[in-house]
Amino acid sequence: MKKNSWPEWWDWKIEVTLDLLKHMEERNFDEVDLREMLQRSKSCRKDIVEGRWVIETRHERHLWEVVVEPDDFGKLLVVVTAYSV
């Protein structure tokens, strides 16, 4: 999927879940890294969980997946988790 054809929620304000904030240190990234990963994203696909999407990207020369859940009511892109694959 080309970025110019990504869903409208792609440009919404980002919100990080508390669960992800707890895991960031152990996974060796911070919010700045997360934002950079989203900017460098290569593709987007529906997750197995209804309403969620998986963003494929890179961080420190490794493949990563960032799981997001658009919040239509608040116009927020909630980042649920991020992990190296």
Side-chain angles (χ1 to χ4, degrees):
M1 179 180 289
K2 294 180 183 180
K3 282 201 180 163
N4 60 358
S5 65
W6 284 36
E8 72 171 295
W9 49 255
W10 183 248
D11 294 320
W12 291 353
K13 183 178 175 184
I14 296 171
E15 181 176 286
V16 179
T17 62
L18 292 175
D19 187 55
L20 178 57
L21 286 172
K22 292 190 292 188
H23 292 292
M24 283 179 162
E25 187 174 338
E26 69 189 40
R27 296 178 185 167
N28 199 31
F29 73 98
D30 59 25
E31 191 168 344
V32 172
D33 294 325
L34 176 63
R35 290 177 183 279
E36 289 174 353
M37 283 190 272
L38 290 172
Q39 287 181 2
R40 287 192 303 268
S41 58
K42 299 295 180 196
S43 65
C44 173
R45 69 176 190 277
K46 287 186 179 184
D47 190 24
I48 59 171
V49 176
E50 181 76 25
R52 291 187 178 176
W53 295 78
V54 178
I55 311 299
E56 295 175 355
T57 188
R58 298 186 75 74
H59 175 58
E60 295 183 348
R61 292 182 276 196
H62 297 280
L63 295 175
W64 279 68
E65 291 185 344
V66 179
V67 179
V68 298
E69 185 173 326
D71 173 2
D72 291 325
F73 181 74
K75 299 292 186 201
L76 295 170
L77 184 58
V78 180
V79 182
V80 177
T81 193
Y83 48 85
S84 178
V85 290

